[in-house]
């Protein structure tokens, strides 16, 4: 190739991500070839020894200029070490098409487990903070306006629920990533007597991909991963947005730890949420990488296309961005300071409890909710006009408005009005499953603790399966190296 064309098309700059995976894939392939008697055992033994030397030297020693990719570079290094008479057997029954697809899946599943573990750590931080703030009175918002009273623990659990679905989704994606394309060849498998299930087992895959063209020509496993990352990023961005808003001077509900804030270059009094703002921006990039990947793959014919090479760049960048954003936000949540007094004052100074006043009128007086809604709306309008605090609303005002709406007064006590306007009563009555009442919160916290424990176990099991497979591969490599 022309040097400029080779430099333009080479993937060596990004192939370090799959260097170790390629060595594992090549070991498994060679072990299988020896076992199946496809290649001479002596040649296979020498190739396995050469692979050990290449692994010890590291990526920089292999990735020299002049190679298209790391796959070509490794094979060339093997031949350089043991000669073509022995090393030339390495690529028997294999194509770079199934080789790279396998390497991508191996590296990606490592990222998926890393991201899953980091997401789990963030969820644990949210659960811990929610448990500590389950009784902390706080305003809940719709349209960025104070809507109803809740607890800060209830607000944190909302983010935990959304992000826990992301974790479940991520581990489902893992199951579709962890399938082996190895043995599919360029696109129609091979005429050699290979054993695809043996290599799949040695590399820790759950199963093989059933169609060889699909195995090398599909990248939906990457698109699905990027989509899962984008959904995580969307939920993280919402969390970032609330941290930024709630820590602003207009709200002052929370405060970021100094370690995750910065000051102004000119205004010495400023404490800016820079880390969270950068995280919010990185979340946007993660979503954008999915869009680019979808456009890249749209309309590509089966089977392998070199366009896929550019897809890998998007995948590794998105994986790193998602991982780093999860890690920083976990630390931010763990160190967040809560202004409980400010939260309480905002609830008490707002008219957030008037939904319960309308509900009380429905229960006590037997009138339709829409009528009660109209009546209470009139009461609130009058109170706001007079500059009254919500706690000052009384039965006299309510009955005055009731005469205008119903033509009569209500059979309601002053105590019922006081209780309805009490934020603690409001929360205590929201004991429907999913609500902020103490008993509902206790159940929600217990359910989420159980879910996170299940997720911990699942991640651990997936890691152990890979470790067991690699141990089996290492044992076979050692046996065949001595032939």
């Amino acid at each position: 190739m022309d040097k400029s064309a080779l430099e333009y098309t080479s993937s060596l700059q990004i192939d370090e991500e799959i260097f170790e995976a390629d060595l594992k894939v090549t070991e498994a392939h060679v072990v299988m070839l020896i076992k199946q008697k496809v290649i001479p055992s002596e040649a296979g033994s020498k190739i396995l020894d050469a692979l050990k030397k290449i692994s010890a030297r590291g990526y920089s020693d292999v990735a020299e200029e002049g190679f298209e990719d790391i796959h070509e570079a490794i094979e060339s290094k093997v031949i350089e070490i043991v000669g073509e008479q022995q090393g030339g057997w390495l690529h028997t029954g294999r194509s770079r098409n199934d080789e790279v697809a396998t390497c991508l899946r191996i590296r990606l599943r490592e990222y998926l487990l890393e991201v899953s573990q980091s997401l789990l750590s963030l969820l644990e931080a949210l659960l811990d903070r929610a448990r500590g703030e389950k009784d902390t009175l706080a305003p809940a918002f719709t349209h960025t306006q104070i809507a109803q009273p809740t607890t800060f623990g209830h607000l944190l659990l909302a983010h935990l629920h959304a992000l826990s679905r992301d974790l479940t989704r991520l581990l489902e994606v893992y199951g579709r990533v962890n399938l082996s394309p190895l043995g599919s060849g360029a696109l129609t498998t091979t005429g050699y007597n290979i054993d695809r299930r043996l290599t799949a087992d040695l590399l820790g895959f759950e199963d093989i991909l059933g169609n060889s063209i699909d195995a090398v020509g599909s990248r939906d496993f990457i698109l699905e991963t990027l989509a899962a990352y984008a959904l995580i990023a969307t939920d993280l961005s919402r969390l970032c947005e609330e941290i930024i808003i709630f820590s602003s001077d207009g709200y002052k509900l929370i405060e970021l730890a100094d370690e995750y804030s910065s000051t102004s270059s000119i205004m010495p009094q400023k404490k800016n949420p820079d880390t969270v703002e950068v995280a919010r921006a990185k979340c946007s990039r993660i979503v954008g990488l999915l869009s680019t990947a979808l456009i890249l793959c749209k309309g590509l014919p089966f089977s392998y296309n070199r366009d896929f090479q550019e897809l890998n760049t998007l995948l590794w960048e998105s994986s790193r961005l998602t991982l780093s954003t999860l890690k920083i936000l976990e630390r931010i949540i763990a160190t967040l300071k809560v202004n409980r007094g400010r939260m309480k004052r905002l609830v008490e100074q707002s008219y957030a409890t008037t939904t319960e006043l309308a509900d009380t009128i429905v229960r006590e007086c037997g009138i339709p909710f829409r009528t009660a809604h109209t009546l209470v709306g009139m009461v609130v309008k009058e109170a706001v006009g007079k500059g009254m605090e919500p706690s000052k609303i009384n039965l006299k005002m309510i009955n005055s408005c009731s005469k205008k709406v119903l033509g009569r007064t209500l059979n309601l006590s002053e105590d019922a009005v006081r209780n309805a306007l009490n934020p603690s009563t409001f929360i205590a009555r929201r004991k429907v499953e999913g609500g902020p009442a103490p008993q509902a919160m206790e159940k929600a916290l217990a359910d989420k603790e159980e879910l996170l424990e299940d997720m911990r176990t699942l991640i651990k099991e997936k890691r152990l399966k890979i470790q067991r497979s690699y141990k089996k591969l290492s044992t076979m490599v050692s046996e065949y190296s001595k032939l």
Side-chain angles (χ1 to χ4, degrees):
M1 290 183 74
D2 178 82
K3 185 180 179 182
S4 61
L6 181 61
E7 289 175 351
Y8 184 72
T9 59
S10 174
S11 63
L12 279 178
Q13 285 188 338
I14 63 166
D15 280 350
E16 188 170 3
E17 287 280 2
I18 56 171
F19 174 60
E20 293 296 335
D22 195 286
L23 292 174
K24 290 285 186 194
V25 170
T26 304
E27 282 183 341
H29 179 67
V30 173
V31 163
M32 179 273 296
L33 292 177
I34 297 171
K35 186 175 183 297
Q36 295 296 104
K37 300 185 180 348
V38 174
I39 65 173
S41 57
E42 182 184 356
S45 177
K46 289 187 180 297
I47 290 169
L48 292 173
D49 287 337
L51 290 171
K52 287 180 183 177
K53 293 176 182 176
I54 291 170
S55 177
R57 292 176 184 176
Y59 181 78
S60 58
D61 183 72
V62 181
E64 299 174 354
E65 289 185 11
F67 291 116
E68 283 187 44
D69 52 42
I70 193 59
H71 319 293
E72 181 187 50
I74 288 174
E75 183 180 2
S76 296
K77 281 292 179 182
V78 168
I79 292 173
E80 181 184 303
I81 294 169
V82 301
E84 188 166 332
Q85 190 64 30
Q86 305 288 358
W89 290 97
L90 181 152
H91 208 55
T92 308
R94 184 177 79 171
S95 164
R96 274 189 295 183
N97 292 0
D98 63 336
E99 180 183 2
V100 68
T102 309
C103 293
L104 289 173
R105 287 173 181 268
I106 286 176
R107 182 65 184 105
L108 178 54
R109 76 185 180 191
E110 292 170 358
Y111 264 126
L112 286 172
L113 291 178
E114 280 188 82
V115 172
S116 295
Q117 187 61 57
S118 289
L119 180 49
L120 178 61
S121 295
L122 173 57
L123 290 169
E124 288 169 341
L126 283 166
L127 183 64
D128 184 60
R129 296 308 303 265
R131 187 179 287 111
E133 305 293 341
K134 64 185 176 64
D135 298 318
T136 301
L137 187 63
F141 298 84
T142 61
H143 308 280
T144 66
Q145 308 295 315
I146 295 175
Q148 292 181 341
T150 188
T151 67
F152 192 55
H154 191 232
L155 291 173
L156 290 172
L157 269 184
H159 290 287
L160 191 149
H161 273 260
L163 288 164
S164 64
R165 288 193 297 274
D166 291 327
L167 178 56
T168 303
R169 187 180 295 114
L170 205 60
L171 291 172
E172 289 171 355
V173 171
Y174 179 94
R176 285 182 283 278
V177 169
N178 200 30
L179 301 170
S180 177
L182 195 60
S184 297
L187 74 163
T188 60
T189 72
T190 177
Y192 296 102
N193 181 33
I194 65 169
D195 186 346
R196 289 190 65 195
R197 294 196 176 274
L198 174 59
T199 52
D201 178 51
L202 294 175
L203 293 169
F205 288 110
E206 294 290 344
D207 202 349
I208 63 171
L209 287 154
N211 181 278
S212 57
I213 296 176
D214 174 60
V216 300
S218 293
R219 291 296 185 270
D220 56 315
F221 70 97
I222 292 180
L223 296 177
E224 189 177 11
T225 298
L226 292 172
Y229 287 163
L231 287 167
I232 292 170
T234 301
D235 287 329
L236 291 180
S237 188
R238 295 174 74 187
L239 177 59
C240 290
E241 182 75 8
E242 289 204 342
I243 291 172
I244 292 165
I245 290 174
F246 290 171
S247 64
S248 67
D249 286 343
Y251 287 77
K252 291 185 178 179
L253 302 179
I254 57 175
E255 183 184 348
L256 267 70
D258 292 349
E259 303 94 301
Y260 304 106
S261 307
S262 65
T263 190
S264 163
S265 63
I266 187 173
M267 297 169 284
Q269 86 283 4
K270 293 295 294 297
K271 184 176 183 179
N272 297 326
D274 284 16
T275 308
V276 188
E277 289 174 342
V278 170
R280 184 175 56 181
K282 288 182 184 290
C283 287
S284 300
R285 180 152 184 79
I286 293 166
V287 174
L289 289 168
L290 168 62
S291 176
T292 303
L294 288 167
I295 294 167
L296 188 155
C297 290
K298 176 188 170 294
L300 288 181
F302 272 130
S303 138
Y304 181 80
N305 298 275
R306 191 67 179 271
D307 308 53
F308 289 155
Q309 181 174 295
E310 293 303 305
L311 191 61
N312 303 341
T313 305
L314 307 177
L315 177 61
W316 306 138
E317 182 182 357
S318 188
S319 296
R320 290 190 293 267
L321 281 173
T322 305
L323 190 58
S324 61
T325 304
L326 284 167
K327 287 180 176 179
I328 199 70
L329 283 173
E330 185 267 323
R331 292 192 286 272
I332 287 169
I333 290 296
T335 57
L336 205 63
K337 301 172 186 176
V338 181
N339 190 341
R340 298 181 183 88
R342 171 70 173 166
M343 288 183 177
K344 187 172 184 289
R345 285 194 300 276
L346 275 183
V347 171
E348 291 174 343
Q349 291 169 5
S350 72
Y351 290 86
T353 55
T354 54
T355 302
E356 181 56 33
L357 179 58
D359 289 340
T360 297
I361 291 171
V362 171
R363 286 192 297 265
E364 298 285 331
C365 305
I367 67 173
F369 174 77
R370 186 53 56 209
T371 306
H373 181 280
T374 301
L375 195 163
V376 173
M378 190 179 293
V379 172
V380 171
K381 184 176 182 180
E382 182 180 330
V384 170
K386 293 178 178 179
M388 293 174 59
E389 289 189 7
S391 60
K392 301 300 182 182
I393 292 174
N394 53 44
L395 183 58
K396 183 179 178 181
M397 288 178 63
I398 294 170
N399 276 329
S400 172
C401 292
S402 179
K403 288 178 181 178
K404 297 174 185 176
V405 175
L406 297 171
R408 60 179 174 84
T409 60
L410 297 174
N411 184 23
L412 195 66
S413 70
E414 196 70 61
D415 282 345
V417 174
R418 296 276 67 76
N419 282 330
L421 294 172
N422 186 320
S424 296
T425 302
F426 184 102
I427 290 170
R429 287 177 178 173
R430 264 65 186 172
K431 55 190 176 185
V432 174
E433 190 169 352
Q439 58 266 54
M441 281 291 291
E442 286 297 339
K443 183 180 186 307
L445 290 165
D447 288 347
K448 282 304 169 189
E449 178 57 54
E450 185 179 345
L451 173 67
L452 297 191
E453 183 58 39
D454 289 343
M455 295 296 103
R456 276 187 220 106
T457 302
L458 194 56
I459 293 169
K460 184 178 180 180
E461 287 174 351
K462 292 182 184 303
R463 284 198 163 123
L464 285 173
K465 175 178 172 53
I466 294 171
Q467 290 169 11
R468 285 193 294 266
S469 294
Y470 283 172
K471 186 175 181 180
K472 184 177 179 180
L473 173 60
S474 179
T475 300
M476 293 187 73
V477 168
S478 296
E479 289 174 1
Y480 287 136
S481 293
K482 296 172 184 176
L483 293 175

